[in-house]
Amino acid sequence: MTRRVGSRRIADFGETVFATYTRLATEHKAINLGQGFPDFETPSFVLDALRASAGEHQQYPPLPGLPELLEAVSEDHARRFGRTLDPVANIQITVGATEGLFAAIQALVDPGDEVVIFEPFYDAYPADVTMAGGIPKFVPLHPQSDGLWHLDEAELRACFSPKTKLVILNTPHNPSGKLFSAEELDLIVELAERHDSLILSDEVYEHIAFGQHLPLASRPGAWARTLTISSIGKTFSVTGWKVGWVSGPAPLIQAIRMAHQWIPFTVATPLQRASAAILNEAAQPGNPYYRELKQAYLRKRDLLVTALRETPFSPLVPAGGYFVIADSRELGYRDDIELCNDLPARAGVVAIPPSAFYSREHKTLARHLVRFAYCKRDEALIEAGNRLRALAG
Ligand code: PMP
Ligand code: GLN
């Protein structure tokens, strides 16, 4: 075949770092602190819910989602945010947050529209915007030695223009662990209002926050222009389920639904049913699940941060999510990719090069950084710490 096979839409895409570095971990039998997926046991009530969902109805669910899952998400919102969501008009179930992001961006962004993205970013955002023909406009989050990532008001203002259709936010933030403050969220809402832009708030780590997680849609003036994305994967340690949801005002949900119906049409029935059951169970009065999840991750964060402090890496302490960014300058590598390619063989540990979360123009900002995941067994974190400590010699 002489014709170019791939479309222009995908021409600039390489393989995602998550696929590359998990493969490296397997090849080297290294400890995988790269891709963010838990390696510990799935909670037993989650597996029970999955087993219980096996025997029942197995056909296509309704387009918005399985009614019991829509109800469970709606009740969760009412309980936590005091907002009553109509299960069908205000919620769309998606194939993980990933499809929610893709469907939302397809549904909202026209070719030539500008989309504000905080950098570093979760790598799907610019890819999704590019596939929709939109133009990403990057606004930097500046790492501080205290682990806080600073958002400069003037830089954010300068990113907006009359062409800004959408702002994509992620709090708690991957890869930095930043929790956006009330002032920052209010500024984003103010700018979105002024430019008549929409907001897409990716809150998949909403239950893994060590300070206060503030949902953007609850800020004054935000609801009417905001879509919020979450998913079952991080909260219940089942990243392979790929069940997510988007919530927001009816016209925005209707727009997403029109895209979603041509992407997967619907989401796996048994997984939706099991997701409803676990959301309902975790919400039972007196169930310590969410509190214990947060405590467990706080402990894992501290375990990894403390271990890294005894290695050549200087960790920035994250306020949420399950990743630590560290400074690797002391090791003297040319850049983060050289380091992360060498680490599996040299130390038996896999990490992610954060340049994957920066635009082509800004990749050098990540040259001296590395991302480690701590959603791993304590023994894996301890052993990784021991191996990385040996690099000091
Ligand atoms: N957004 C962020 C910030 C993430 O870290 C992830 C994790 N993969 C996703 C979205 C995708 O979530 P899901 O696995 O539910 O598609
Ligand atoms: N969200 C996870 C991470 O950031 C994994 C994402 C993926 O594998 N696509 O590591």
Side-chain angles (χ1 to χ4, degrees):
M1 185 162 191
T2 51
R3 184 195 282 278
R4 184 167 45 92
V5 175
S7 68
R8 277 193 202 93
R9 205 172 294 123
I10 59 135
D12 283 344
F13 297 163
E15 181 179 69
T16 108
V17 277
F18 305 118
T20 307
Y21 286 92
T22 286
R23 194 171 51 241
L24 262 189
T26 310
E27 279 166 18
H28 289 269
K29 297 188 172 54
I31 300 175
N32 190 355
L33 304 191
Q35 191 178 24
F37 64 88
D39 69 347
F40 42 81
E41 277 183 19
T42 311
S44 56
F45 78 100
V46 172
L47 291 179
D48 289 346
L50 185 59
R51 280 187 208 100
S53 79
E56 299 175 43
H57 174 68
Q58 300 295 333
Q59 308 312 324
Y60 295 126
L63 174 59
L66 202 65
E68 58 214 80
L69 179 54
L70 293 169
E71 280 294 336
V73 173
S74 164
E75 282 167 18
D76 182 60
H77 266 70
R79 229 174 357 251
R80 292 195 296 136
F81 311 135
R83 184 185 293 282
T84 306
L85 297 188
D86 180 279
V88 171
N90 297 130
I91 301 167
Q92 175 62 50
I93 305 300
T94 55
V95 183
T98 305
E99 191 251 327
L101 287 161
F102 182 73
I105 291 166
Q106 284 292 318
L108 304 177
V109 174
D110 274 318
D113 283 347
E114 293 181 358
V115 179
V116 173
I117 295 177
F118 297 89
E119 191 176 33
F121 44 71
Y122 181 57
D123 62 349
Y125 306 158
D128 288 348
V129 170
T130 306
M131 284 191 277
I135 302 167
K137 291 281 163 184
F138 298 105
V139 54
L141 297 173
H142 301 281
Q144 319 281 300
S145 55
D146 58 5
L148 298 175
W149 291 61
H150 175 66
L151 170 62
D152 184 86
E153 179 171 340
E155 286 179 332
L156 181 61
R157 284 186 188 279
C159 239
F160 276 78
S161 86
K163 289 194 190 155
T164 307
K165 180 70 189 288
L166 185 67
V167 188
I168 306 178
L169 180 86
N170 174 213
T171 186
H173 183 263
N174 177 9
S176 74
K178 175 183 174 68
L179 299 179
F180 281 74
S181 69
E183 295 71 30
E184 289 168 335
L185 296 177
D186 290 344
L187 176 64
I188 293 164
V189 175
E190 178 208 313
L191 290 168
E193 264 174 354
R194 176 163 322 154
H195 294 86
D196 200 19
S197 316
L198 300 169
I199 304 170
L200 189 53
S201 191
D202 175 350
E203 302 185 12
V204 294
Y205 298 101
E206 60 186 330
H207 289 287
I208 310 174
F210 314 125
Q212 203 188 2
H213 164 65
L214 299 172
L216 181 123
S218 299
R219 303 309 303 166
W223 170 255
R225 59 182 69 250
T226 300
L227 281 170
T228 304
I229 297 196
S230 194
S231 101
I232 212 84
K234 325 289 172 193
T235 305
F236 294 97
S237 300
V238 284
T239 58
W241 282 23
K242 301 300 275 189
V243 174
W245 48 88
V246 186
S247 55
L252 296 187
I253 292 296
Q254 178 60 14
I256 283 223
R257 190 163 291 155
M258 293 302 98
H260 168 84
Q261 66 183 340
W262 305 125
I263 306 172
F265 177 51
T266 51
V267 181
T269 299
L271 291 174
Q272 289 202 60
R273 191 159 44 230
S275 298
I278 63 179
L279 277 173
N280 290 338
E281 179 148 353
Q284 288 303 308
N287 187 328
Y289 182 75
Y290 292 117
R291 184 167 34 86
E292 288 178 0
L293 178 80
K294 199 175 287 204
Q295 281 167 356
Y297 273 122
L298 184 58
R299 202 175 37 74
K300 287 183 184 297
R301 178 197 75 173
D302 290 346
L303 208 167
L304 184 60
V305 166
T306 308
L308 286 174
R309 285 195 177 124
E310 292 169 9
T311 72
F313 297 101
S314 308
L316 301 175
V317 183
Y322 45 49
F323 306 104
V324 177
I325 292 278
D327 189 310
S328 67
R329 250 172 289 210
E330 205 180 308
L331 283 167
Y333 283 91
R334 189 179 58 227
D335 62 28
D336 60 327
I337 295 177
E338 191 181 67
L339 164 70
C340 290
N341 288 348
D342 195 33
L343 217 48
R346 183 169 167 199
V349 175
V350 163
I352 293 286
S355 54
F357 310 129
Y358 284 82
S359 56
R360 187 171 303 144
E361 308 86 285
H362 302 147
K363 284 197 186 296
T364 52
L365 291 173
R367 211 166 32 196
H368 60 288
L369 301 178
V370 56
R371 191 196 82 170
F372 295 103
Y374 54 87
C375 46
K376 307 291 172 180
R377 285 170 296 118
D378 288 3
E379 308 85 79
L381 296 173
I382 292 165
E383 176 58 21
N386 292 339
R387 293 182 186 188
L388 295 174
R389 201 175 304 125
L391 291 174

